[in-house]
Amino acid sequence: MELENRAEARMLSLRWPDGTRGDFPYIWLRDNCPGGFHPDTRERTFDLMSVPLDVAPEAVRMDGDVLEVRWAGEAHVSRFDCGWLRAHRPGAGAEDPAAVPPVVWRGAGGAAQIPRAAAGDLLASDAALADWLRRARAWGLSIVEGLSEDPEAGMEVARRIGFLRETNFGKTFQVKSKKRPNNLAYTAEALPLHTDLANQELPPGWQFLHCLTNAATGGGSVFADGVAMAEDLRAEDPGAFDLLSTVSIPFRFHDAGCDIRRRQYVITLDEDGAVREICYNAHLAAIFDMSPEVLQAYYRAYRAFMAKTRDPAYQVTLTLEGGQMAVFDNRRVLHGRAAFDPASGGRHLHGCYVDRGEFDSRLRVLAGGP
Ligand code: OGA
Ligand code: ZN
């Protein structure tokens, strides 16, 4: 391993035998000295303001696989493991077991392509749970099968992942046709493709819909990958894509007990411009309040996305049976259902949410590592 002190650039450079190179600004090295972290909590205890911005080494040397930096102006020596430096070299992007690349899917493969798992395996085995979380993360959608008749069985699987996300509909919610519903889901009507709770400050991440019974005529489920629809829109109609990702729209839910409002972008991009989130719910969209000029253009863009949500080319349809549970990333995959006839038989789903952060945390912990 070669070490070079590039004082003029205020950084150390390391080159590994395989050619990998890392450039480490002095201030970064000082900020990340292993001695600056609490040994138990692993939180940073070092105060960045305790050193000047132009902090610099007095001497640097390699000690086997350890880089030793003696800092000028303070009696402090930092010792860095070179494997750690390589893994964290600035600009390379730290490795993250939860960063599973999305598999973008469309309707052509049908429901057979959806990843599936047996509830018993997920409850009994961490390895099975880890494997399933990775597959579900890639797809944004999975079906869990073989749940017991216990109405809590689906929630038990969700709790294997993390805390349930409580909302104004409760910690868990009963999806069935109700008298005086406060949500279209609690009627027997069709629900066009949507994401849930677009009106929330942070719409819930993963959604779990455990089917307790589905004996009614109708009531089939439909899912579509929001990433596929958004990416196709970007290719076909970049102007529409641009408006949907840069102009926010208001969403609102209100009933006797709450009035929850939030502006959202229909399409949210990550820093690299990749589609990270979809927030689309035509029945929770509030009264658009943009200027008349923006409205004309926005409606065109919004309808272009809406048309994609109606296009069967993106849709996977299936009918959930008792003992099955649909699990999907509510901020990526749109879901809906066909109308059903409540007089023909019961239809009852038990639902809950687990946020993306909890889901990804479980993935990382199960992957092991430091
Ligand atoms: C919901 C919902 C779908 C269904 O509860 O948010 O969309 O199949 N339900 O009833
Ligand atoms: Zn819904």
Side-chain angles (χ1 to χ4, degrees), residues 147-164:
L147 288 154
S148 79
E149 302 208 329
D150 183 343
E152 291 304 313
M155 311 302 101
E156 197 185 348
V157 170
R159 284 197 172 90
R160 276 277 277 158
I161 302 171
F163 301 112
L164 304 194

Side-chain angles (χ1 to χ4, degrees), residues 185 191 194-196 207 209 328 330 335 353:
L191 294 176
H194 64 280
T195 61
D196 274 12
Q207 180 164 182
L209 287 174
F328 51 95
N330 178 58
H335 65 286
Y353 306 104

Side-chain angles (χ1 to χ4, degrees), residues 9-185:
R10 311 198 58 74
M11 57 178 77
L12 299 182
S13 294
L14 285 176
R15 191 187 291 275
W16 279 264
D18 68 356
T20 302
R21 178 195 165 114
D23 296 324
F24 302 91
Y26 297 154
I27 186 71
W28 184 95
L29 285 166
R30 186 65 190 89
D31 191 32
N32 293 300
C33 170
F37 291 82
H38 192 283
D40 296 320
T41 74
R42 301 195 259 185
E43 292 162 291
R44 183 183 281 100
T45 50
F46 172 65
D47 176 9
L48 180 60
M49 296 303 279
S50 69
V51 298
L53 177 62
D54 61 358
V55 64
E58 191 175 85
V60 294
R61 70 179 186 106
M62 294 303 304
D63 178 9
D65 238 9
V66 169
L67 167 68
E68 197 179 272
V69 181
R70 184 175 302 277
W71 296 100
E74 53 170 338
H76 187 80
V77 177
S78 298
R79 292 171 62 81
F80 298 94
D81 175 78
C82 284
W84 183 91
L85 284 173
R86 182 182 167 121
H88 293 88
R89 62 194 189 281
E95 188 260 349
D96 180 0
V100 181
V103 172
V104 179
W105 52 271
R106 293 175 181 75
Q113 56 181 339
I114 303 171
R116 286 169 195 255
D121 294 345
L122 302 181
L123 293 174
S125 156
D126 279 356
L129 182 65
D131 172 64
W132 172 63
L133 291 177
R134 265 191 298 277
R135 289 186 290 134
R137 180 72 156 70
W139 259 70
L141 170 64
S142 175
I143 305 292
V144 174
E145 298 177 304
L147 288 154
S148 79
E149 302 208 329
D150 183 343
E152 291 304 313
M155 311 302 101
E156 197 185 348
V157 170
R159 284 197 172 90
R160 276 277 277 158
I161 302 171
F163 301 112
L164 304 194
R165 161 81 183 272
E166 195 165 4
T167 75
N168 56 300
F169 294 106
K171 201 160 240 172
T172 70
F173 47 90
Q174 310 291 339
V175 184
K176 56 183 176 183
S177 174
K178 301 176 191 177
K179 285 202 185 70
R180 311 221 300 132
N182 67 345
N183 185 323
L184 280 176

Side-chain angles (χ1 to χ4, degrees), residues 233 238-249 264-268 298 300-306:
L233 185 68
F241 180 90
D242 195 46
L243 277 175
L244 294 172
S245 55
T246 56
V247 175
S248 65
I249 55 171
Q264 310 278 6
Y265 301 104
V266 170
I267 299 171
T268 296
Y298 193 85
R300 193 192 73 77
Y302 187 59
R303 287 168 57 100
F305 187 79
M306 213 173 228

